[in-house]
Amino acid sequence: MPTKNVTTAAFTDCYKVLDMALANKGVRIGFPDRNKATRFRHRCYKARSLLYKASERAVQPGTLPSTPYDDIVIRFESDVKPGGSTQVLLLLLRSQEDLPEITDLDGKPIKPIEPDFTEIKLEGI
């Protein structure tokens, strides 16, 4: 079955919102109903997928592909407004979120260990 050729130009609205989320460390978008919010969320993920596939073709073998939007998480957030309810999508930067509480087996809080990459030598960087 032939696949439909889709270009990034079909997702300019998504890229604008994703760029706003990066610039503002997160945004909220209101929709009149959950179906429209769901469609837009799927379109944003498809837009990211297209960029990821383009990145796969562009990077050197052995290099991990990435997009500027890899850090963005898109969640539903119900928001009740006067005159009716609206479905809100929340676009957050995963790196800005707090980690959940981590405890040892006795229930004592543990501070996460920060990774140390000083020993790693990256050639060409």
Side-chain angles (χ1 to χ4, degrees):
M1 181 171 172
T3 59
K4 184 174 158 182
N5 288 332
V6 181
T7 66
T8 57
F11 299 94
T12 55
D13 57 333
C14 296
Y15 294 126
K16 287 179 185 178
V17 171
L18 292 167
D19 285 337
M20 285 189 272
L22 286 177
N24 296 290
K25 297 184 180 169
V27 294
R28 284 185 171 88
I29 311 167
F31 292 90
D33 59 50
R34 189 169 177 97
N35 288 338
K36 289 186 176 162
T38 300
R39 264 192 303 277
F40 187 77
R41 181 179 186 223
H42 285 280
R43 292 186 74 246
C44 285
Y45 283 131
K46 178 66 175 178
R48 286 191 343 188
S49 172
L50 288 173
L51 285 181
Y52 187 84
K53 287 177 184 172
S55 178
E56 282 180 319
R57 292 187 300 269
V59 298
Q60 296 290 329
T63 305
L64 293 174
S66 65
T67 76
Y69 311 118
D70 289 347
D71 194 28
I72 298 176
V73 177
I74 306 171
R75 296 189 181 136
F76 288 99
E77 178 182 75
S78 294
D79 186 24
V80 178
K81 303 264 185 197
S85 66
T86 300
Q87 186 64 51
V88 174
L89 282 181
L90 186 60
L91 284 79
L92 299 170
L93 300 184
R94 185 179 290 117
S95 60
Q96 299 292 316
E97 292 183 313
D98 292 330
L99 288 174
E101 182 181 25
I102 301 170
T103 63
D104 64 12
L105 297 178
D106 295 327
K108 297 175 193 163
I110 299 174
K111 183 179 177 189
I113 299 169
E114 294 296 325
D116 179 18
F117 298 111
T118 56
E119 301 276 329
I120 298 175
K121 305 287 187 236
L122 299 174
E123 295 180 27
I125 295 180

